[in-house]
Amino acid sequence: MPAASVEYIAPWWVVWLHGVPHLGLRLQPVNNTFNPRDESYQESLLFLGLVAAVGLALNLIFLVLYLVRACCCRRNNGIQTKWRKSCCITWMAVVAGIVCCAAVGIGFYGNSETNDGAYQLIYSLDSANHTFSGIDALVSGTTQKMQLDLDQYLARLSEIFAARGDYIQTLKFMQQMAGTIITQLSGLPVWENVTAELAEVIDQTTYVEYYRWLSYLLLFILDVVICLIACLGLAKRSRCLLALMLCFGMLTLLLSWASLAADTAAAVGASDFCVAPDNFILNITKGRISTEVTRYYLYCRQSTGSPFQQTLTIFQRSLTAMQIQTSQLLKFAVPLFPTAEKDLLRTQLLLNSSETSLHQLTALLDCRGLHKDYLDALSGICYDGIEGLLYLGLFSLLAALAFSAIICAVPQAWKHFATRDRNYDDIDYEDPFNPQAWRIAAHNQPPGPLHSFCSYSSSLDSQMSAQPPAQTISNAPVSEYMNQAVLFGGNPRYENVPLIGRGSPPPTYSPSMRATYLSVADEHVRRYGSEFPA
């Protein structure tokens, strides 16, 4: 709300939150009037936190049931089903990450709004505290001048003017005026206790707000880091990162629900105050400050006169009369009593400084300054503060939803990774068409001369001169026979065994597929082995 507004109007979200049912721990209705010292009212705010605790319990029960079902259900080995599960896990992680990022953005905005509102409240209370302290300082300073300094000057002047009765009457009149000023100043309210309480409230609010802001900032960073760990674990297919994310995700889930409970209770309590702040302030100041004075500062209506107007008027008249008497003494008495000039000049300076204090006191006692501080404080609490708490509550809900989805995706991803690992473990490293077997054989065997098949079939002379050693047809399994010539590391291959002459090897076989292939290969060798001798 604008600072220049003369009236406070509660925003709609304050009215809405004030209408939230207030129930005690035994589910009995509680008056929603803001009264933080009442035990039943405190129970109603605690009940709102327990509602969030119930939400946390239901969330955990759902996650436990889902994790038990995901770990105990049967595996479907269909290729289409695996592809769908993998796609579902990916999209679930993507959506959860987007929701988490959106929640963190909303949380940053809400945290900033709440912090702005809290510090606006602090600055307003500090300004009001300086005003009250200034009033007390001016009153005490002026009273001290009139009681000590002025009496001292008038006592010396009485000794000087002892022979002149008319001058003595003037000095007595000035003493009466000084006494009148002191009496009027003593009737002003003393704000010493108020300033002490305001200083304590300012210190506590500053302390709590700093650690609240810092705690939420660390929570935002933790959420972002956990989302990054989840994305990295899914991208790297790392079970260690997924396990780490699962542990920290549960911790963040607990913190999100706890922050939701605190935000809800704080927002509802602040709304109860913001609906009728004037009544609460009138109740807590009753018996310590005049109701007329409190209403003067709370409403600051031009039609209502200031309760200090009479005091300030008498102060002004008494001070003016004293100044006139001092001027006359300087004009008529100093030529007769030159020694009195110094004390009269000091008296005149004291009265002039008292007049300056009177103008300052009049400005400080005016309701407009304190009323503006009051409106600024209400604006900080009821507008920025509660609005920020609502955004923080939305952040907590979205964060809990996002991390619940991520936690649900972890067991599916874990099973998917385990299935892929089992498929890779089913590879036969004795298979000649397995690229890993080629790399192992090439690594284990010493390097030798690489012979080409074409070197034995280029010409008849080369066949006579570089006849390869005769090969005997082995009855060993085809796999063992082929492993002897893997990567041409052993004897050169110049036999045309089925599938050897291809430009590139077929995909790696699993043991079940390899058994089928060996049966077919053995039949092929028995049928064509005699027609194509080595």
Side-chain angles (χ1 to χ4, degrees), residues 438-509:
W438 299 354
R439 291 191 293 269
I440 294 174
H443 177 73
N444 293 333
Q445 294 183 3
L450 184 63
H451 302 282
S452 174
F453 176 79
C454 298
S455 62
Y456 297 104
S457 60
S458 58
S459 62
L460 181 62
D461 296 336
S462 61
Q463 291 178 3
M464 296 299 296
S465 61
Q467 182 69 26
Q471 299 291 329
T472 60
I473 300 176
S474 174
N475 293 328
V478 176
S479 62
E480 298 179 3
Y481 182 76
M482 292 179 179
N483 284 335
Q484 294 176 1
V486 61
L487 287 178
F488 310 106
N491 295 327
R493 64 172 192 178
Y494 36 83
E495 62 274 0
N496 192 13
V497 187
L499 299 181
I500 273 293
R502 291 188 177 182
S504 60
T508 304
Y509 295 143

Side-chain angles (χ1 to χ4, degrees), residues 66-76 85 412 415:
Y66 181 84
L67 293 177
V68 170
R69 178 182 177 278
C71 295
C72 298
C73 66
R74 295 182 178 180
R75 301 182 181 90
N76 192 341
K85 286 186 176 181
Q412 299 295 336
K415 291 169 59 178

